């Protein structure tokens, strides 16, 4: 009986030592988790202070799944660094003078070295993530939406555009939008994203006054990252 | 008993780790809107030169994965007017330039074969009248879905006297 009690005491002593060893690990894991949560996309979208081309907005399945063509050649702006601020309101009924679009000012754009990709593959793939901040006031009985758009260029000029789905309908809003697009190609060209990748706001009714404001700080559009890839899967 | 406590400790920690990972991803997925457009247009010309009373017909191919089905609408407008056109049907084409398509919708069924291919073709007919302004005009051939997601390709039309 005494021997058994001694054994139990020894086991308890061992367990205490093991628990002491375990404690730092728990503290470490908890710290890592908390740090991860602070840098997560959900928290990042509420802040405008993150640097250009931060991948904190990234939706992993969107960003990394498809740019894996046979040649797998990609130009990735997240590594070259671009800070591009773009804003435009567009598409209002021209015949209704009461509807105005504020701050279509491109003069203070900050455009860095946008990535380019020179390729002769038959399909080129673009992926863009942008965060739009804007204020939209909608007249009574009217409807209006933001719709993000990116414009693609090649070495011969403007190719065309891809337009995402609606971002929001009214008031002050901020949304991160990811748009991906494939482009047919013939011959060797250098591809890049146009500066006028923007959010459009269109108004569907007459009467009253609808305004949109993308520019007054901090309401604007910021490109978070861009990928251009060969895509011959 | 102490061993059980240790296992319980680790289990709770594991639950927190997994819940944390999934929870964060679920929140971020709600915040980010993703538009993946995997159809594209293939147009054999980029720049055309036209004079008054002239008409040209340009074939436009729709490229799309063969294993997938698709329903899109087609239209012609000017660059950066795509959203407005989708919402209202107003093309805002330059005075004196007419651009029409012989197909307003494209319906592609899913096929057994895989990979991108030209799945359908329609024709773009561009006409220039006497009152068109000389100079360069750009028109946009646009295809779009019911949710407003769209893809467009631009063609430059140089009108000469």
């Amino acid at each position: 009986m005494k021997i058994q009690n001694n054994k139990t005491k020894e086991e308890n002593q061992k367990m205490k030592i093991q628990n002491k060893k375990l404690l730092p690990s728990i503290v470490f894991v908890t710290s890592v988790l908390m740090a991860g949560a602070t840098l997560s996309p959900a928290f990042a979208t509420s802040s405008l202070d993150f640097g250009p081309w931060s991948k904190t907005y990234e939706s992993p399945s969107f960003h990394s799944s498809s740019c894996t063509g046979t040649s797998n050649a990609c130009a990735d702006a997240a590594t070259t660094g671009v800070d591009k601020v773009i804003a435009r309101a567009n598409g209002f009924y021209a015949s209704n003078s009461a509807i105005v679009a504020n701050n279509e000012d491109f003069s203070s754009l900050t455009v860095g070295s946008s990535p380019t990709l020179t390729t002769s593959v038959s399909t080129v793939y673009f992926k863009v993530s942008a965060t739009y901040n804007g204020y939209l006031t909608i007249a009574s009985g009217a409807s209006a939406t933001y719709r993000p758009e990116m414009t693609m260029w090649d070495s011969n000029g403007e190719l065309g555009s891809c337009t995402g789905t609606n971002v929001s309908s009214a008031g002050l809003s901020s949304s991160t939008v990811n748009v991906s697009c494939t482009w047919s190609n013939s011959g060797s060209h250098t591809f890049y994203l146009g500066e006028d990748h923007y959010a459009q706001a269109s108004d569907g009714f007459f009467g009253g006054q609808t305004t949109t404001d993308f520019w007054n700080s901090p309401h604007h559009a910021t490109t978070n990252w861009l990928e251009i890839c060969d895509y011959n899967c | 008993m102490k061993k059980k406590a240790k296992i319980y400790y680790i289990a709770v920690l594991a639950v927190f780790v997994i819940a944390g990972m999934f929870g964060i991803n679920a929140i971020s997925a709600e915040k980010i809107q993703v538009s993946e457009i995997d159809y594209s247009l293939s147009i054999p010309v980029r720049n055309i030169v036209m004079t008054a009373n002239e008409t040209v017909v340009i074939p436009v191919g729709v490229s799309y994965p063969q294993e997938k089905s698709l329903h899109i609408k087609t239209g012609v407008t000017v660059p950066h007017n795509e959203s407005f056109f989708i919402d209202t049907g107003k093309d805002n084409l330059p005075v004196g330039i007419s651009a029409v398509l012989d197909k307003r919708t494209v319906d592609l069924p899913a096929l057994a074969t895989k990979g991108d291919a030209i799945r359908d073709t329609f024709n773009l007919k561009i006409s220039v009248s006497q009152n068109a302004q000389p100079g360069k005009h750009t028109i946009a051939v646009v295809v779009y879905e019911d949710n407003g997601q769209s893809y467009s390709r631009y063609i430059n039309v140089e009108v000469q006297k």
Side-chain angles (χ1 to χ4, degrees), chain A residues 77-174:
Chain A
T79 58
T80 57
V82 173
D83 182 9
K84 188 180 287 186
V85 181
I86 321 100
R88 180 186 284 182
N90 195 15
F92 288 85
Y93 279 104
S95 54
N96 186 350
S97 58
I99 292 174
V100 292
N102 289 337
N103 301 309
E104 295 184 67
D105 180 12
F106 280 78
S107 61
S108 50
L109 284 182
T110 304
V111 181
S113 54
S114 186
T116 62
L117 178 72
T118 302
T119 181
S120 56
V121 295
S122 59
T123 307
V124 177
Y125 197 81
F126 281 82
K127 286 179 170 187
V128 176
S129 173
T131 300
Y132 295 88
N133 302 277
Y135 202 97
L136 191 63
T137 308
I138 303 175
S140 174
S143 71
T145 53
Y146 292 132
R147 195 173 289 161
E149 178 174 325
M150 60 176 184
T151 309
M152 261 66 70
W153 289 60
D154 71 6
S155 36
N156 292 325
E158 200 170 20
L159 267 174
S161 70
C162 291
T163 305
T165 51
N166 299 340
V167 175
S168 63
S169 58
L172 177 63
S173 64
S174 176

Side-chain angles (χ1 to χ4, degrees), chain B residues 87-109:
Chain B
D87 288 344
T88 66
K90 292 176 188 263
D91 58 32
N92 289 347
L93 285 170
V95 173
I97 295 180
S98 149
V100 293
L101 302 171
D102 65 357
K103 198 175 276 186
R104 288 307 313 274
T105 58
V106 172
D107 287 289
L108 305 174

Side-chain angles (χ1 to χ4, degrees), chain A residues 42 57 62 90-91 147 154 157-159 161 163 165-167 176 178 180 182-184 196 198 200 202, chain B residues 2-3 24 27 32-37 40-41 46 80 82-84 87-88 147 149-154:
Chain A
Y57 297 107
F62 175 84
N90 195 15
R147 195 173 289 161
D154 71 6
E158 200 170 20
L159 267 174
S161 70
T163 305
T165 51
N166 299 340
V167 175
T176 296
N178 293 343
S180 70
T182 57
W183 287 81
S184 56
D196 52 352
Y198 57 88
Q200 295 194 64
S202 60
Chain B
K2 292 278 182 184
K3 209 168 192 177
I24 289 163
I27 293 164
I32 298 173
Q33 298 187 42
V34 179
S35 295
E36 297 193 51
I37 301 167
S40 63
L41 297 177
R46 186 81 170 272
H80 313 306
E82 288 91 342
S83 289
F84 181 68
D87 288 344
T88 66
N147 62 8
Q149 194 167 284
S150 75
Y151 174 102
S152 61
R153 195 109 198 195
Y154 300 162

